[in-house]
Amino acid sequence: MLSTYTDPQAYMEGSLLFSASHIVSLCVTIALLFFLFLFRNESWMKMNGRWLIVLGLAGSEIWLNYWYFTTGMWDIRYTLPFQLCSISLYLCVWMLLTRQKLVFEVVYFLGVGGALQALLTPELFYDFPHFRFLHFFIAHISIIMAVFYMLWIEKFQVKFKSVWKAFAALNVIAFIVYFVNKLTGGNYMFLAEKPTNASLIDFLGPYPWYILTLEFVVLFIFLLLYAPFFFQEKMKSRKKRRST
């Protein structure tokens, strides 16, 4: 999830989970995905869609850091881009600019898995139309849109070996972030301690054992994300057999 570092007063206001603004934002996400799919074969979408998504990704990150600095909220322990969705955002920009298949294979699992969870259960305490609300949803929706742009317009595909590439990449990233936490005193990717708010991690054991358990949870989620491609391959193979 992207950093949601806020002031203590904001935490007292409570979460926006399934509030009216949250539900509307989820509906906007679905509508944008439908729009992308509907016009996936249009030339103007192929020419301009990629740059619009890059603008959403890069613009939201620049906007966020500007806000951190101008409000005096920038803190090396909380606001570096080392949360999983922040890393996915940067990878999405690189993926759209370079069209590298390896980056897509990684971002499909890290980006969709992280951003979808963030959209469904936002750890956010500012309501619409506050900047943090707008940034949160623009950034996470843009991650989802970037992945599906590559799927539907660039026609990239995910293979079974992509699961292991993404899993290996995640562990390399986690290894780096672990030392970032040591240097900064932060808790990026929750590798230094459990999050203070209630979460799935609470059911995975004490520190540091929950990190090992989380590896199995992540692998299971990656396999679920691969499932549509698995069934797609099965259907294609059946059609080939019938045609022969």
Side-chain angles (χ1 to χ4, degrees), residues 185-199:
N187 188 27
Y188 297 108
M189 292 179 65
F190 306 121
L191 294 176
E193 61 181 347
K194 289 185 178 183
T196 54
N197 56 297
S199 69

Side-chain angles (χ1 to χ4, degrees), residues 5-237:
Y5 177 56
T6 55
D7 57 68
Q9 182 180 356
Y11 274 93
M12 296 300 292
E13 296 174 2
S15 174
L16 300 177
L17 184 64
F18 300 127
S19 64
S21 55
H22 180 209
I23 293 172
V24 169
S25 299
L26 292 177
C27 291
V28 169
T29 305
I30 294 170
L32 287 173
L33 284 172
F34 179 76
F35 180 84
L36 181 66
F37 180 79
L38 188 64
F39 295 101
R40 66 192 183 282
N41 294 320
E42 298 293 331
S43 58
W44 57 266
M45 177 62 79
K46 295 178 180 179
M47 291 176 60
N48 303 313
R50 182 167 64 111
W51 297 108
L52 288 173
I53 299 171
V54 168
L55 179 63
L57 292 163
S60 63
E61 185 68 8
I62 293 170
W63 195 15
L64 174 65
N65 282 279
Y66 173 79
W67 182 76
Y68 279 147
F69 281 108
T70 56
T71 58
M73 296 184 71
W74 193 91
D75 190 314
I76 196 171
R77 296 171 298 171
Y78 308 111
T79 55
L80 293 177
F82 285 107
Q83 296 290 12
L84 188 58
C85 280
S86 297
I87 294 168
S88 296
L89 185 149
Y90 281 84
L91 288 175
C92 279
V93 172
W94 183 256
M95 172 187 70
L96 289 169
L97 293 177
T98 64
R99 296 185 175 95
Q100 287 187 357
K101 189 175 186 300
L102 176 60
V103 179
F104 166 75
E105 291 176 296
V106 172
V107 169
Y108 173 77
F109 293 99
L110 270 60
V112 173
L116 185 60
Q117 179 270 329
L119 289 171
L120 292 175
T121 58
E123 187 188 356
L124 184 65
F125 302 90
Y126 290 113
D127 203 349
F128 179 86
H130 194 278
F131 156 75
R132 285 295 290 116
F133 180 94
L134 296 173
H135 161 267
F136 182 91
F137 284 99
I138 289 172
H140 286 94
I141 291 171
S142 296
I143 291 172
I144 298 290
M145 294 290 287
V147 172
F148 281 91
Y149 176 90
M150 300 303 290
L151 276 171
W152 291 337
I153 297 175
E154 298 292 342
K155 309 300 182 184
F156 280 31
Q157 292 292 307
V158 170
K159 303 294 184 181
F160 181 65
K161 61 184 178 180
S162 304
V163 174
W164 302 107
K165 290 179 183 179
F167 190 68
L170 177 61
N171 279 275
V172 170
I173 291 169
F175 180 79
I176 295 170
V177 172
Y178 173 81
F179 288 101
V180 171
N181 287 335
K182 289 289 186 182
L183 291 172
T184 63
N187 188 27
Y188 297 108
M189 292 179 65
F190 306 121
L191 294 176
E193 61 181 347
K194 289 185 178 183
T196 54
N197 56 297
S199 69
L200 172 66
I201 293 176
D202 292 333
F203 300 96
L204 303 182
Y207 178 85
W209 301 110
Y210 71 81
I211 297 174
L212 179 61
T213 311
L214 196 57
E215 291 265 29
F216 292 99
V217 173
V218 167
L219 185 56
F220 176 72
I221 293 172
F222 282 11
L223 290 171
L224 285 180
L225 289 171
Y226 169 69
F229 297 93
F230 172 80
F231 290 114
Q232 184 182 53
E233 287 295 323
K234 287 291 184 182
M235 291 177 65
K236 285 181 179 179
S237 62

